[in-house]
């Protein structure tokens, strides 16, 4: 059916998945406050959260299968939104599944930690749905506040608290830029609605107006901060290292995906015509992110911190897909996010399984000879590393993800992207230096004398690892279905703009 | 690209048993998974002696390597010798051959379904979309047509027999489930290779069989020579695969399609005799020289005999090595457009046939004789497909699968018996595969003796045996093309095509003569004359158990009467040309295009040709009987070294040594002194690795200065970033 968003009841119907998740989260928040914190209680709430997420996923899939659409309004009902929702829910499921066992071991018995993941996820879903800058802002804030708290969830760890505070302060700072950008865009175009903004830029020939460009630049800063692109990445290593490991994975995958998803929709639906202005800044951010992230990642000795830099690097790769600014670019973008989310969760599942209470044993040297004591973990980690590297066959989906980004970047009308694709390939080569290093120490080094055998891996952690790795390989062997999924779910192409662009 | 859509709907096969074509490869895959899982349960236990095996039959395993562990056992009597049988050997013996038998049954059912319908169009079953990259869309699709049907029947049929033979041959090997897992996996990939409806799927099969071949050659990998042979096969084949890949790239770039139907639809984009289609065909043929062991890449096949003998029979004689012939028959449309490439194929095939046959004359290892014979016979097949006699080439592939599988399995029986005899007498010094140590086996192994003679007569080309019919068809076709065809009108390296084809015909005749000689020599030295095993061992020589002899009998029957599948006109012992008519829908047009401009041979010419061929075969056998004296032969350890040309032949023309000197050593030295010590240590390590480590450290230092943990610094960096970014936007403005 086609929702008429000017009718409040239909607007609410169009928001069913988001609202369902939010109501579920509120109910669980009450449940989590019912009893004092304990391991059993956080497990119970964790399992309930997984249930709520699965139900939400069901609704999202049902929405997609019915092919709902919407008229003009503040939110979008389209495949792109639902595809992004699926990714967020996937990441949230992984984070909670890992979190139940991780929190139990680390003594983080706050039951609300799982509920906060639900809140953050509902914020992301609103971001993906938003077709109005005000809704974007609300979504970002719902997500961010929950994630600020999650980053500091481990109250016994000073690092966790410090990271959370930094994240909060800098996040608030960058939100200021974002809000300022929204204000300037509104001031110049007279609207906060994506479609109307795009329309007005054409209608009133605003493309070269300074205030509008300033606004776009400030919006770019806001998003670049959320996805930890250089030079707005400074918070990321500290926060990623300090946060509880499952939350780090969640931030590296879902928070980033949400910011990117909104970014892509806004750019495609409103600012497509402004590519002359934003292309080079995005180009430079992508280039700086790929190079800087990779070089610094090479120097890391701590696996969690290494993965933090690796996630910065992947923001750079994703920016290349966004800079392509075409349908195949956004298809490549969704496919990349899928592969990246899976590989990230696989890798962090291994990190969770390897670390001992107090988040110790996270150095690369602790992974030496892992193959001999925990072959399953070693194989899983190796596949995830190869996927992040973009290695053919054994890296599964990661290889195709890079192929599609490169193909999209080469097929764009922008000649400037050609050097960026070269840079992407070179950056991948450099990244082999640290991804393969981990594989090497796991398989080719002997287990050091006196090194402890990691404790038996919990069932949920094993499940997350197994599912991630299996999907990475499966999608790698048969990418067609996932590609179809990514191709068919795109933000609405701006018809008025493309016709305006043609002459 | 339109034609990528499956042609399933409306095809007469769509609603028949053919819709289960996907089960053909999936069944062996299931076998691989089950056997692989069982082999993971590596625990071997001491099993009971096999009661069905006569006296010493259960000791057999062809490799001395596996029995190394037994050497130090102090046994007084061989009868209490503990036999290492795998715990799940029984289950594996059921699964391994069982899945093949099911697959074969299904293949037969599909064959009968296919017989009753019109197969003008291939039946393509698209399983799923595979790789969509921009405008390249590749599906995992299987194609059934008369050609792939023939291959499937050969692979599953012969495969089943060899699996059954293996149950006996490998029974006491500790790696029993692993062996069957690899063998099942091989059949899976081989079926994928011949059933694939496009080149990429075929390539997956092509690489997969290469992998299984590598794994099985090095099956007894604890012996370094075996592991090296596996590596050699693997590396040499990579050169060929490079050709296959380049051919695929060229095809896609020029026709925009990689599936057979799509290429056929876009074939107009390739001009006849043009450089592009010639290059595509030559690169495909480079792939063939690797996989099918032709000059110059044949060198891996003789070494591949390090694997278990049934593996040699299945992979290195009957199926995998013929993949190149299949590839050319499958690409006949392309090759018929490229006379120069076709001439090259025929010439290389003819040279290989002759060259390998000469080496076969002086080999002492029974399996090496058969290996060079295989290379030589593969040469014949390439002559066939090279001159555009695609049905003749494929038919020789089929009959060769019959008689060469029989010869290999027969030699396996011989080795099995020799090994058991040596084992029983605790003789670990003598080579169980060397013919100088055999002799007079016919009275100990009469069944094997008779069957191997049938195969020998077939390969030598004695009338009405299968090999005669197929070989004669090839030689006849060469002569016919030489008299007039597009090939005869073309030229290669300035030599007119007809001259070349007459030369190829002469090579073929000479190779036929040599084949008759070396095969008879092998039979004489192995089965005739006095026994040279020594008195102790002789009493332990026995025929193999029936599980091994049974498949031999079936193959013997096929080798004898296989010619009936495609009787020539002059030999009307039944319906003639059945096989030609069967393959007509696939290769008919291509054959006609190549043959254009020539006519059929005159009856008298044809009779003269047949007469010559038969006379040569008989002469070869007679020559061997007259000149070779098995009685004069002494065991290997007492043999004097050979000299002169015989020594050159015995050392295979020193080709391996020449390759070593010309290619391997320069590469090794170049790698060592220039690439390793110079480039790697000097430039890469010195400049890039240490340099980039320095750079990374420097950046790390800067980073750590910035990444101070001070929130104020972070905020400042952020602000600087904002200023730079806005500056960029304003600059545009």
């Amino acid at each position: 059916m086609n929702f008429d968003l000017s009718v409040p009841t239909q607007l609410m119907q169009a928001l069913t998945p988001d609202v369902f998740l939010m109501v579920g989260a509120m109910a669980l928040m009450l449940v989590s406050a019912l009893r004092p914190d304990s391991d059993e209680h956080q497990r119970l709430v964790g399992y309930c959260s997984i249930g709520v997420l699965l139900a939400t996923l069901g609704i999202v899939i049902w929405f997609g299968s019915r092919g709902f659409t919407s008229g003009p309004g503040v939110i979008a009902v389209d495949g792109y939104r639902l595809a992004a929702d699926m990714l967020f829910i996937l990441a949230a499921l992984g984070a909670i599944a890992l979190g139940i066992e991780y929190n139990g071991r680390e003594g983080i018995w706050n039951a609300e930690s799982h509920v906060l993941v639900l809140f953050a996820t509902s914020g992301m879903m609103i971001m993906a749905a938003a077709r109005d800058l005000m809704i974007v802002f609300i979504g970002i804030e719902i997500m961010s506040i929950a994630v600020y708290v999650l980053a500091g969830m481990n109250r016994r760890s000073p690092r966790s608290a410090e990271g959370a505070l930094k994240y909060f302060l800098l996040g608030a700072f960058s939100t200021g830029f974002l809000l300022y950008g929204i204000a300037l865009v509104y001031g110049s175009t007279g609207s906060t609605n994506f479609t109307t903004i795009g329309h007005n830029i054409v209608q009133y020939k605003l493309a070269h107006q300074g205030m509008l460009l300033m606004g776009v630049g400030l919006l770019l800063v806001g998003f670049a901060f959320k996805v930890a692109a250089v030079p707005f990445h400074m918070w990321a290593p500290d926060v990623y290292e300090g946060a509880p490991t499952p939350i780090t994975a969640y931030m590296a995958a879902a928070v980033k995906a949400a910011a990117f998803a909104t970014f892509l929709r806004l750019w495609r639906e409103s600012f497509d015509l402004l590519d002359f202005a934003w292309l080079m800044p995005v180009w430079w951010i992508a280039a700086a992110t790929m190079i800087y992230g990779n070089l610094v990642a090479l120097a890391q000795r701590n696996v969690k911190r290494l993965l933090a830099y690796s996630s910065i690097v992947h923001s750079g790769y994703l920016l290349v897909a966004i800079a392509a600014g075409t349908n195949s670019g956004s298809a490549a973008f969704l496919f990349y996010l899928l592969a990246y989310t899976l590989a990230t969760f696989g890798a962090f599942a291994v990190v969770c399984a390897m670390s001992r209470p107090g988040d110790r044993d996270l150095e690369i040297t602790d992974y030496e000879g892992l193959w001999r004591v925990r072959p399953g973990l070693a194989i899983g980690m190796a596949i995830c590393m190869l996927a992040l590297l973009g290695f053919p066959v054994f890296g599964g989906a990661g290889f195709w993800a890079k192929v599609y980004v490169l193909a999209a970047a080469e097929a764009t009308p922008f000649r400037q992207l050609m050097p960026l694709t070269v840079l992407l390939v070179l950056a991948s080569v450099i990244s082999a230096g640290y991804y393969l290093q981990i594989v090497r120490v796991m398989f080719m080094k002997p287990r050091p004398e006196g090194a402890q055998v990691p404790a038996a891996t919990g069932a949920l952690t094993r499940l997350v690892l197994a599912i991630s790795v299996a999907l990475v390989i499966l999608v790698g062997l048969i990418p067609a279905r996932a590609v179809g999924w990514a191709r068919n779910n795109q933000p609405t192409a701006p018809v008025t703009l493309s016709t305006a662009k043609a002459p | 690209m339109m034609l990528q859509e499956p042609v399933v709907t409306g095809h007469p096969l769509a609603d028949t048993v053919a819709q289960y074509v996907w089960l053909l490869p999936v069944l062996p895959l299931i076998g691989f998974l089950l056997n692989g899982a069982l082999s993971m349960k590596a625990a071997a236990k001491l099993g009971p002696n096999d009661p069905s095996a006569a006296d010493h039959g259960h000791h057999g395993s062809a490799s001395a390597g596996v029995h190394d562990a037994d050497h130090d056992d102090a046994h007084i009597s061989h009868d209490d010798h503990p036999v290492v049988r795998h715990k799940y050997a029984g289950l594996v013996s059921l699964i391994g051959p069982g899945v093949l038998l099911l697959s074969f049954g299904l293949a037969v059912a599909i064959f009968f379904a296919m017989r009753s319908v019109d197969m003008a169009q291939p039946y393509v079953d698209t399983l799923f979309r595979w790789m969509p990259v921009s405008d390249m869309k590749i599906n995992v699709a299987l194609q059934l047509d008369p050609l792939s049907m023939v291959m499937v029947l050969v692979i599953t049929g012969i495969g089943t027999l060899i699996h059954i033979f293996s149950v006996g041959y490998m029974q006491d090997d500790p790696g029993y489930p692993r062996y069957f897992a690899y063998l099942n996996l091989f059949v899976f990939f081989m079926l994928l290779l011949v059933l694939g409806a496009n080149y990429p799927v075929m390539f997956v099969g092509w690489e997969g069989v290469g992998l299984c071949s590598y794994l099985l050659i090095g099956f007894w990998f604890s012996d370094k020579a075996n592991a090296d042979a596996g590596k050699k096969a693997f590396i040499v084949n990579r050169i060929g695969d490079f050709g296959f890949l380049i051919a695929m790239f060229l095809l896609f770039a020029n026709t925009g399609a990689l599936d057979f139907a799509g290429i056929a639809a876009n074939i107009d984009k390739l001009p006849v005799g043009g450089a592009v289609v010639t290059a595509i065909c030559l690169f495909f043929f480079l792939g063939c020289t690797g996989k099918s062991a032709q000059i110059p890449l044949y060198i891996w096949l003789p070494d591949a005999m390090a694997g278990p003998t049934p593996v040699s029979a299945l992979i290195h004689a009957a199926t995998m090595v013929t993949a190149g012939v299949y590839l050319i028959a499958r690409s006949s449309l392309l090759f018929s457009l490229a006379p120069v490439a076709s001439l090259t194929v025929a010439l290389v095939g003819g040279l290989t046939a002759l060259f390998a046959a000469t080496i076969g004359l002086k080999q002492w290892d029974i399996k090496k004789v058969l290996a060079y014979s295989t290379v030589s016979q593969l040469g014949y097949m390439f002559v066939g497909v090279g001159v555009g006699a695609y049905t003749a080439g494929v038919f020789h592939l089929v009959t060769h699968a019959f008689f060469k599988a029989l010869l290999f399995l027969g030699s396996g029986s011989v080795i099995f018996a020799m090994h058991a005899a040596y084992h029983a007498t605790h003789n670990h010094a003598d080579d169980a595969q060397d013919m100088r140590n055999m002799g007079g086996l016919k009275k100990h192994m009469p069944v094997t003796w008779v069957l191997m003679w049938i195969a020998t007569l077939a390969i030598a080309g004695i009338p009405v045996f299968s090999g005669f019919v197929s070989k004669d068809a090839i030689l006849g076709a060469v002569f016919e093309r030489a008299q007039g065809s597009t090939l005869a009108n073309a030229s290669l390296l300035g030599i007119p095509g007809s001259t070349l084809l007459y030369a190829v015909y002469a090579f073929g005749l000479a190779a036929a003569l040599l084949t008759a000689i070396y095969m008879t020599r092998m039979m004489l030295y192995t089965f005739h004359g006095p026994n040279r095993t020594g008195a102790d061992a002789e009493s332990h020589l026995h025929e193999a158990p029936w599980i091994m002899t049974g498949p031999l009998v079936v193959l013997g029957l096929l080798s004898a009467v296989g010619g009936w599948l495609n009787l020539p006109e002059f030999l009307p012992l039944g319906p003639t040309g059945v096989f030609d008519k069967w393959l007509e829908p696939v290769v008919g047009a291509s054959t006609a295009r190549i043959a254009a401009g020539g006519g059929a041979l005159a009856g008298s010419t044809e009779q003269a040709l047949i007469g010559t061929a038969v006379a040569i075969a008989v002469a070869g056998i007679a020559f061997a009987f007259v000149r070779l004296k098995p009685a004069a032969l002494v065991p290997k350890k007492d043999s004097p070294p050979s000299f002169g040309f015989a020594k050159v032949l015995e050392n295979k023309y020193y080709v391996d040594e020449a390759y070593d000197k010309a290619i391997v050593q320069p590469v090794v030295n170049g790698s060592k002194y220039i690439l390793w010590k110079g480039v790697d240590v000097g430039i890469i390590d010195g400049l890039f690795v240490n340099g980039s480590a320095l750079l990374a450290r420097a950046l790390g230092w800067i980073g750590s200065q910035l990444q101070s943990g001070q929130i104020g610094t972070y905020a400042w960096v952020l602000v600087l970033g904002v200023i730079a970014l806005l500056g960029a936007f304003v600059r545009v403005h």
Side-chain angles (χ1 to χ4, degrees):
Chain A
M1 87 182 260
N2 189 23
F3 294 109
D4 181 358
L5 300 179
S6 56
V7 181
T9 50
Q10 296 209 12
L11 178 61
M12 285 309 282
Q13 280 172 15
L15 277 170
T16 311
D18 317 58
V19 171
F20 176 84
L21 180 57
M22 222 172 268
V23 171
M26 288 176 192
L28 280 178
M29 189 57 108
L30 292 178
V31 173
S32 71
L34 273 181
R35 281 199 279 165
D37 290 344
S38 69
D39 193 22
E40 295 77 46
H41 193 46
Q42 70 91 9
R43 275 174 193 274
L44 175 75
V45 174
Y47 284 117
C48 291
S49 306
I50 289 180
V52 169
L53 279 173
L54 288 175
T56 315
L57 184 64
I59 296 174
V60 168
I61 291 172
W62 175 74
F63 245 62
S65 67
R66 297 296 299 271
F68 291 142
T69 52
S70 73
V74 291
I75 62 158
V77 182
D78 57 8
Y80 177 68
R81 166 188 164 192
L82 299 176
D85 286 353
M86 284 183 212
L87 286 175
F88 305 150
I89 294 173
L90 203 65
L93 282 170
I96 295 177
L98 291 179
I100 290 174
E101 281 169 359
Y102 180 88
N103 290 1
R105 191 183 67 204
E106 296 286 329
I108 309 172
W109 290 346
N110 320 63
E112 68 273 18
S113 63
H114 305 303
V115 186
L116 284 168
V117 174
L118 298 191
F119 276 118
T121 308
S122 69
M124 294 170 186
M125 288 169 62
I126 287 176
M127 287 166 73
R131 202 170 247 169
D132 188 292
L133 289 170
M134 298 323 293
I135 306 286
V136 170
F137 190 74
I138 293 172
I140 287 188
E141 287 308 298
I142 295 178
M143 171 188 83
S144 300
I145 291 172
V147 176
Y148 296 150
V149 180
L150 282 171
M153 211 67 218
N154 191 355
R155 274 172 291 180
R156 291 171 211 193
S157 155
R159 276 171 175 274
S160 181
E162 186 190 327
L165 187 64
K166 281 179 187 161
Y167 190 26
F168 173 66
L169 286 175
L170 290 172
F173 197 38
S174 78
T175 304
F177 288 108
L178 189 74
L179 206 50
Y180 195 15
I182 293 176
L184 288 179
V185 169
Y186 175 70
S188 61
T189 63
S191 174
T192 53
N193 186 287
F194 288 12
T195 322
T196 317
I197 293 172
H199 181 74
N200 287 354
I201 291 176
V202 179
Q203 183 85 18
Y204 305 109
K205 300 194 167 44
L206 304 173
H208 289 274
Q209 205 192 48
M211 185 155 77
L212 175 65
L213 294 180
M214 249 349 194
V216 174
L218 289 170
L219 283 172
L220 182 56
V221 171
F223 288 119
F225 176 84
K226 288 290 174 208
V227 303
V230 176
F232 311 104
H233 68 285
M234 299 293 286
W235 57 275
D238 292 6
V239 178
Y240 282 9
E241 196 186 349
T245 310
I247 300 306
T248 309
Y250 183 66
M251 283 196 283
V255 173
K256 187 166 283 185
F260 266 125
T262 316
F263 187 28
L264 182 72
R265 187 194 285 281
L266 179 59
W267 249 240
R268 293 281 285 142
E269 295 188 0
S270 304
F271 301 140
D272 201 36
L273 199 60
L274 304 181
D275 52 40
F276 67 92
W278 57 254
L279 183 65
M280 284 324 280
V282 171
W283 196 105
W284 278 108
I285 294 179
T289 307
M290 289 191 286
I291 296 173
Y292 180 85
N294 263 320
L295 288 179
V296 181
L298 272 179
Q300 300 307 312
R301 289 286 158 264
N302 177 306
V303 174
K304 211 167 153 186
R305 214 172 161 85
L306 190 153
L307 286 173
Y309 280 104
S310 140
S311 105
I312 292 176
V313 174
H314 285 275
S315 290
Y317 300 154
L318 279 162
L319 277 170
V320 176
I322 288 188
T326 53
N327 280 340
S328 59
S330 53
F333 162 82
L334 271 181
F335 188 91
Y336 200 103
L337 272 184
L338 174 68
Y340 169 73
T341 304
L342 292 173
T344 302
F345 268 93
F348 275 105
V350 175
V351 174
C352 283
M354 283 290 295
S355 58
R356 285 186 293 133
D359 249 3
R360 281 174 295 161
D361 280 1
L362 287 173
E363 301 298 311
I364 291 181
T365 46
D366 296 320
Y367 285 71
E368 283 177 1
L370 185 61
W371 163 246
R372 276 160 234 281
V373 286
R374 286 266 180 274
L377 288 182
I379 290 177
M381 188 69 167
I383 287 174
C384 291
M385 289 297 110
L386 292 174
L388 290 172
L389 171 57
F391 198 84
V393 185
F394 300 107
F399 168 69
W400 293 108
K402 281 224 172 88
V403 167
Y404 290 127
V405 168
L406 286 172
E410 282 180 8
T412 66
F414 308 130
R415 304 297 304 158
Q416 300 96 312
L417 284 188
M418 205 44 102
L420 208 55
T421 57
V422 175
L423 212 58
L424 196 160
V425 173
L426 286 179
S428 301
V429 173
I430 299 178
S431 72
Y434 49 90
Y435 290 134
L436 292 186
Q437 166 77 355
I438 294 182
V439 177
R440 189 180 74 90
V441 300
M442 287 192 304
F443 287 86
M444 294 177 157
K445 289 257 181 153
R447 191 80 186 150
E449 292 281 324
Q452 284 195 332
V453 176
T457 313
L460 282 172
T461 310
R462 259 186 292 168
L463 188 71
V464 171
L465 179 61
I467 291 178
S468 309
V469 168
L471 283 177
V472 163
I473 292 291
L474 190 68
V475 175
L477 288 179
I478 312 168
R481 279 190 85 92
V483 171
W485 167 82
R487 277 206 188 138
N488 296 333
N489 296 314
Q490 309 230 342
T492 316
V495 181
T496 52
L497 299 192
S498 15
T499 47
K501 236 169 144 180
Chain B
M1 299 307 287
M2 296 282 100
L3 276 139
Q4 294 254 316
E5 295 309 313
V7 200
V8 168
T9 45
H11 195 279
L13 273 182
D15 295 322
T16 64
V17 64
Q19 60 189 303
Y20 299 111
V21 57
W22 54 273
L23 264 176
L24 283 174
V26 165
L27 281 167
L29 184 65
I30 293 172
F32 159 69
L33 293 174
L34 293 177
N35 286 333
L38 289 177
S39 80
M40 290 289 191
K41 301 254 174 202
K45 68 170 187 186
L46 301 185
N49 286 353
D50 189 353
S52 67
D55 278 3
H56 320 297
H58 55 265
H59 291 310
S61 174
S63 161
V66 272
H67 283 286
D68 283 351
D70 301 340
H71 291 182
D72 301 326
D73 296 354
H75 306 295
I76 297 160
S77 153
H78 55 267
D79 284 322
D80 59 358
H81 190 346
V83 177
V84 182
R85 294 205 70 185
H86 198 277
K87 198 156 65 176
Y88 300 110
L91 196 52
V92 172
S93 319
L94 213 60
I95 298 169
V99 290
L100 257 279
L101 197 61
L102 288 176
S103 207
F104 178 60
L106 180 61
V108 171
I110 296 177
F111 170 69
F112 281 109
M114 195 184 266
R115 265 172 59 115
S116 57
V117 301
D118 170 34
M119 283 303 294
Q121 291 295 319
Y123 169 79
V124 178
D125 185 10
T126 304
L127 301 183
F128 50 83
R129 285 165 61 215
W130 186 21
M131 284 191 277
V133 180
S134 59
D135 57 345
M136 177 168 75
K137 290 175 187 61
I138 298 167
N139 296 327
V140 172
L142 303 181
Q143 170 165 340
L144 271 178
D145 63 3
L147 178 60
S148 57
M149 196 69 241
V150 168
M151 295 300 290
V152 166
L153 285 173
V154 170
I155 294 161
T156 53
I158 308 262
T160 306
L161 292 175
I162 292 174
H163 273 69
I164 293 172
F165 182 90
S166 300
V167 170
Y169 193 82
M170 300 296 286
Q171 60 184 342
D172 297 329
D173 196 283
Y176 192 74
R178 184 165 61 93
Y179 172 83
F180 274 100
Y182 290 164
L183 218 53
N184 284 162
L185 186 66
F186 166 77
V187 175
F188 162 71
F189 278 123
M190 193 67 210
L191 288 173
L192 208 59
L193 195 166
V194 297
L195 282 172
N198 52 45
Y199 284 107
V201 173
M202 191 177 173
F203 188 68
V204 170
W206 185 274
E207 288 299 298
V209 291
L211 169 73
C212 295
S213 162
Y214 161 75
L215 291 172
L216 282 164
I217 294 170
F219 184 72
W220 291 309
F221 55 83
S222 49
D223 187 348
K224 186 171 181 302
N226 296 346
D228 284 349
K231 278 189 254 172
K232 185 170 174 184
F234 204 70
I235 293 165
V236 170
N237 266 297
R238 291 288 79 67
I239 303 171
D241 295 343
F242 160 80
F244 195 124
L245 279 174
I246 300 284
M248 277 204 290
F249 296 155
L250 283 174
L251 254 182
F252 182 69
N254 287 287
T255 66
L258 280 172
D259 61 318
F260 304 138
I263 290 167
N266 289 303
I267 199 70
D268 297 341
K269 294 180 182 168
L270 298 171
V272 180
V276 173
V277 70
T278 307
I280 291 172
C281 291
L282 286 177
F283 276 117
F284 269 136
F285 183 56
L286 178 60
C288 298
T289 58
K291 189 68 67 196
S292 296
Q294 296 295 292
I295 292 174
L297 297 181
Y298 70 92
I299 46 165
W300 65 270
L301 186 58
D303 287 30
M305 297 299 131
T309 306
V311 169
S312 310
L314 178 62
I315 301 185
H316 304 121
T319 55
M320 183 189 84
V321 290
T322 61
V325 181
Y326 167 77
L327 172 61
I328 293 186
R330 174 56 79 203
S331 317
S332 60
L333 194 56
L334 297 169
F335 278 85
S336 69
L337 294 174
V340 175
S342 286
L343 274 178
T344 312
V345 173
L347 182 65
V348 171
L351 283 173
T352 309
L354 181 59
F355 181 77
T358 57
I359 300 179
L361 284 175
K362 287 304 278 184
Q363 294 304 308
W364 290 112
D365 184 319
I366 185 168
K367 284 183 75 180
K368 284 277 164 70
V369 177
L370 292 175
Y372 281 103
S373 156
T374 303
V375 175
S376 170
Q377 295 298 312
L378 287 167
Y380 265 109
M381 295 175 211
F382 279 105
V383 169
V385 292
V387 300
Y390 300 106
T391 52
V394 174
F395 185 51
H396 195 55
L397 185 163
V398 175
T399 56
H400 176 257
F402 296 155
F403 58 68
K404 191 50 71 64
L406 172 55
L407 284 168
F408 265 113
L409 293 188
S411 79
S413 274
V414 168
I415 296 166
F416 187 82
M418 289 289 292
H419 205 274
Y422 281 154
H423 199 75
T425 53
H426 301 284
N427 178 348
H428 296 294
D430 281 330
D431 186 349
Q433 301 190 15
D434 196 298
M435 293 190 293
R436 285 169 291 195
N437 296 336
M438 299 175 182
L441 292 184
K442 76 176 168 186
K443 69 169 180 280
H444 304 287
M445 314 181 71
V447 181
T448 310
W449 173 64
V450 171
L451 291 170
M452 282 186 78
W453 260 116
I454 293 177
T456 302
L457 295 178
I459 195 174
I462 298 298
V464 308
F465 288 102
S466 59
F468 162 73
V469 182
S470 55
K471 194 187 275 187
D472 191 69
I474 291 175
L475 290 175
V478 179
F479 205 83
E480 192 182 314
R481 298 288 188 272
Q483 292 197 327
S485 64
T486 51
L487 297 184
N489 300 334
S491 68
L492 179 66
L493 303 173
I495 307 170
S498 60
T499 316
L500 269 180
L501 288 177
Y502 282 123
V504 169
Y505 178 75
F507 294 156
L509 275 188
L513 175 71
L514 297 178
T515 305
I517 297 177
Y518 70 68
M519 286 309 298
T520 312
R521 168 180 177 268
M522 186 193 92
M523 292 305 292
L524 288 177
Y525 286 171
T526 307
F527 289 100
H528 297 253
N531 183 280
R532 295 177 293 275
T533 43
D536 282 355
E538 189 179 354
S539 61
H540 293 285
L541 288 169
H542 287 280
E543 189 71 83
W546 270 103
I547 195 149
M548 291 164 68
T549 328
L552 291 185
V553 174
V554 179
L555 286 170
L557 202 66
L558 290 171
S559 304
V561 303
W564 261 258
L565 290 174
N566 200 28
L567 284 174
E569 296 289 338
F570 63 84
L571 207 64
L573 299 173
T576 57
V578 176
F579 198 78
D580 291 339
K581 290 193 194 81
W582 176 252
L583 285 185
E584 166 71 24
V586 187
V587 298
S590 311
T591 308
R593 184 172 331 188
I594 284 200
L601 291 176
S604 57
T605 321
E606 197 176 1
Q607 280 157 14
L609 291 182
I610 296 161
T612 319
V614 174
I616 275 189
V618 173
I621 295 175
F623 175 84
F625 262 105
V626 173
R627 288 297 303 271
L628 298 176
K629 296 278 177 273
L633 213 59
V634 290
K636 182 184 179 185
K637 54 179 181 281
D638 306 324
S639 295
S642 46
F643 52 87
F645 191 59
K647 192 177 173 198
V648 175
L649 285 182
E650 207 168 311
N651 286 298
K652 310 146 202 166
Y653 293 104
Y654 298 99
V655 170
D656 276 325
E657 287 77 3
Y659 276 173
D660 190 58
K661 283 274 185 298
I663 299 171
V664 179
Q665 289 302 334
V667 169
V668 168
N669 287 331
S671 305
K672 192 171 170 184
Y673 294 108
I674 299 172
L675 292 179
W676 177 30
K677 299 242 166 101
V679 176
D680 197 42
V681 175
I683 299 175
I684 308 263
D685 275 4
L687 200 62
F688 290 111
V689 177
N690 296 338
S692 65
L694 203 68
L695 183 68
R697 230 175 298 150
L699 270 168
W701 182 79
I702 297 170
S704 66
Q705 292 304 303
L706 285 173
Q707 204 78 48
S708 56
Q710 299 295 322
I711 193 104
T713 321
Y714 292 7
W716 267 112
V717 173
L718 206 160
V719 169
L720 288 177
V722 172
I723 291 170
L725 193 70
L726 290 184
F729 270 87
V730 171
R731 195 181 57 79
V732 170
H733 176 59

